Amino acid sequence: MAIQNRYNEKLVKGKPGSSEILFLAGAIFVILSGVAIMLFNIMGFLFIFFGIYMLVMAIKNMKVEFEYTLTDGEIDIAKINDKSRRKDIKNIRKDDVTLIKKADSDKVKNDLSLKKEKIVYFVKEVTDTCYAIYTSINDKKEIIVLDLDEGCVEHLKAMYKRTFEE
């Protein structure tokens, strides 16, 4: 039996997470605190300068991308902030996948609206190129939504013959 070596990669733009939004709010709070402190003390300038630095960093962190790497049926998902900081955030093993289906199908739309399982979006918005990957790891069920191109879909069809549904 021949071993299949398959590899695909896809980069998609994503929404900033709650941590990026919270950091931005913190930067604005520090700037406003600096302005208030400056009314009573010259030390407010330090708060303002530190707040501006935080604001610049927060704006950079708002540029979020997700990278999907498919290797022989294993799916790795990484979050990339400002095209420079990469963090591996999810690894999906082939044995953990129970179903792969287009995200615009009636079943997936129903499951996403019911929110019975934990839902993780690695897309900016759900489109007709998105797929839902149902996983079950130690009785923890998740639905993971990914925006895949044709190469990635063909990879999944080849590696997940039993769980892939059109």
Side-chain angles (χ1 to χ4, degrees):
M1 183 173 150
I3 296 175
Q4 286 184 331
N5 289 321
R6 298 184 71 102
Y7 176 83
N8 287 86
E9 201 172 63
K10 170 105 192 250
L11 194 66
V12 296
K13 292 192 183 297
K15 287 184 185 176
S18 56
S19 61
E20 287 89 6
I21 294 170
L22 190 61
F23 190 73
L24 179 65
I28 293 169
F29 177 75
V30 169
I31 291 171
L32 294 176
S33 299
V35 170
I37 292 171
M38 210 169 73
L39 296 173
F40 305 106
N41 191 341
I42 196 76
M43 291 294 288
F45 277 116
L46 291 175
F47 277 83
I48 292 172
F49 287 129
F50 182 67
I52 290 171
Y53 172 76
M54 285 177 62
L55 186 64
V56 169
M57 295 303 294
I59 290 170
K60 283 184 171 185
N61 281 339
M62 298 299 264
K63 298 173 190 161
V64 176
E65 295 176 322
F66 292 107
E67 178 185 59
Y68 316 138
T69 307
L70 289 76
T71 310
D72 294 332
E74 195 167 287
I75 304 168
D76 293 310
I77 303 168
K79 183 177 182 181
I80 302 169
N81 284 27
D82 192 31
K83 299 185 188 232
S84 60
R85 288 183 308 284
R86 182 180 199 280
K87 181 180 178 184
D88 293 328
I89 53 175
K90 192 107 182 126
N91 176 278
I92 305 167
R93 293 188 356 242
K94 190 174 181 179
D95 299 336
D96 299 335
V97 175
T98 58
L99 176 68
I100 300 173
K101 199 164 180 70
K102 281 200 67 98
D104 62 357
S105 71
D106 290 336
K107 178 194 177 0
V108 174
K109 284 180 183 176
N110 187 40
D111 290 345
L112 294 177
S113 67
L114 291 176
K115 299 181 181 177
K116 284 195 262 182
E117 290 94 7
K118 180 181 176 188
I119 301 169
V120 184
Y121 293 94
F122 293 111
V123 295
K124 202 168 198 170
E125 62 183 87
V126 178
T127 64
D128 61 342
T129 59
C130 292
Y131 282 80
I133 299 173
Y134 290 70
T135 62
S136 181
I137 304 168
N138 299 329
D139 294 327
K140 282 187 175 181
K141 295 183 178 188
E142 283 186 332
I143 302 173
I144 300 158
V145 181
L146 304 176
D147 184 4
L148 303 173
D149 60 16
E150 287 182 38
C152 294
V153 171
E154 291 304 316
H155 180 121
L156 291 177
K157 282 181 184 177
M159 301 308 290
Y160 293 92
K161 291 177 185 166
R162 290 189 183 120
T163 56
F164 193 95
E165 290 184 15
E166 288 291 331

